[in-house]
Amino acid sequence: MLYMHDLWVNWFEGEENGYNVCRFHEWRKEDGIELIDQIPLLYVSNALFRLIENDLQDLPLSMLQDIHRKTYMKKNQERHTIEYAAVATDGTDVVVFDTLGYTSPVKKSRLIPRQERLALEMVQGKKAEFYIIEGSAPKEHHILSLDPEKMAGLTRRERQLKQLLMMALDQLKHSDHPEEIRYWLTEWDPVQYPSIKSLSTDEAWSRLYEETCHGWSKLHEELCGKMVKGQPFFETIWQGENEKVSQHMKSQN
């Protein structure tokens, strides 16, 4: 078995989509970066790599047995054993996972570029390990778990705010005030107000979703800010992302 040493990781917990496991250039000062002393490196099929990167389903039992208690982390100069963790690569991309003792990849991280290149170099010329993927259901994307295409090209902040907007839209769809849907669609596209008046509630919501689920713009941001106003949970996320941007800009000056 191949092993890597002294890896810096930035864990993202409970993320089923790889686009939310941020690349090194999007790591932030406030992220909890940790050091892994030793960890197995697995060369796996593309199908298994995508399952690890983009899902939270059960991993092959034989793979978990292969990596059982072979990862060590250093904390306060002490070495701690991790039940099930590994670096996985399909020869093209790399992700690190830790199951927290369960059977699915609960925590995930990317590597810093130098260590990512090393992982790819280490499996060059080797054959991928064959692990049987049992009973995995096809990945389904929805409003709270958008298709990667709808997140392509966005920054970490934009992805966070877009997810917040989708949460607000989902809440709007199931609210006790369906008349609000036409109001927010008009806020999004005032020019269409004459035709919006004749739309049913479902038609208005579908149009609002279809028009906002692609890309990210100043209009998206303005709509998101207005929709979350007065909702403490959503406002906390909104303010948190904007404070992080302010702090980042201050540190750049």
Side-chain angles (χ1 to χ4, degrees), residues 25 95 125 138-139 203-206 218 229:
H25 69 274
V95 70
K139 174 82 180 216
E203 287 170 339
W205 188 88
S206 294
K218 195 168 185 291
K229 205 164 187 179

Side-chain angles (χ1 to χ4, degrees), residues 24-215:
F24 173 70
H25 69 274
E26 290 193 316
W27 290 7
R28 294 170 172 168
K29 282 185 177 178
E30 66 271 17
D31 290 341
I33 313 300
E34 296 182 1
L35 179 64
I36 295 179
D37 193 34
Q38 172 187 296
I39 188 168
L41 169 61
L42 298 175
Y43 185 16
V44 299
S45 67
N46 180 261
L48 180 51
F49 181 84
R50 297 301 161 204
L51 183 75
I52 296 168
E53 183 187 41
N54 292 304
D55 227 318
L56 290 171
Q57 296 192 54
D58 287 343
L59 299 173
L61 186 59
S62 57
M63 185 181 84
L64 293 175
Q65 290 170 339
D66 284 349
I67 62 174
H68 186 227
R69 297 180 69 80
K70 290 182 178 176
T71 295
Y72 300 94
M73 295 194 75
K74 268 187 181 171
K75 284 188 180 176
N76 302 323
Q77 301 304 313
E78 289 186 18
R79 226 172 174 226
H80 298 272
T81 309
I82 306 299
E83 286 294 305
Y84 303 108
V87 179
T89 179
D90 60 352
T92 303
D93 204 353
V94 183
V95 70
V96 191
F97 69 89
D98 177 357
T99 72
L100 291 181
Y102 300 103
T103 54
S104 59
V106 180
K107 295 200 304 185
K108 304 174 193 180
S109 175
R110 303 295 179 180
L111 292 177
I112 65 173
R114 175 177 55 81
Q115 293 174 335
E116 195 171 83
R117 285 194 300 271
L118 176 61
L120 296 173
E121 288 168 5
M122 287 173 69
V123 300
Q124 271 186 357
K126 294 183 167 54
K127 283 183 67 176
E129 292 285 339
F130 178 70
Y131 294 107
I132 297 172
I133 304 171
E134 295 181 5
S136 69
K139 174 82 180 216
E140 288 186 12
H141 290 285
H142 49 81
I143 189 169
L144 299 179
S145 176
L146 290 176
D147 188 287
E149 286 183 9
K150 294 184 173 70
M151 290 293 200
L154 304 190
T155 65
R156 178 173 177 177
R157 175 178 179 273
E158 290 168 346
R159 292 193 304 273
Q160 291 291 328
L161 292 183
K162 187 164 185 176
Q163 287 180 172
L164 178 60
L165 176 59
M166 293 299 117
M167 288 163 66
L169 283 175
D170 186 58
Q171 184 186 72
L172 179 66
K173 185 179 185 181
H174 300 100
S175 77
D176 296 327
H177 307 284
E179 67 279 1
E180 287 186 16
I181 295 172
R182 286 188 202 84
Y183 169 80
W184 288 117
L185 180 55
T186 305
E187 280 284 310
W188 168 255
D189 191 359
V191 177
Q192 296 299 320
Y193 176 65
S195 64
I196 289 170
K197 285 193 297 183
S198 64
L199 295 176
S200 70
T201 300
D202 287 344
E203 287 170 339
W205 188 88
S206 294
R207 183 187 288 188
L208 184 56
Y209 169 69
E210 288 300 329
E211 292 186 9
T212 56
C213 71
H214 298 281

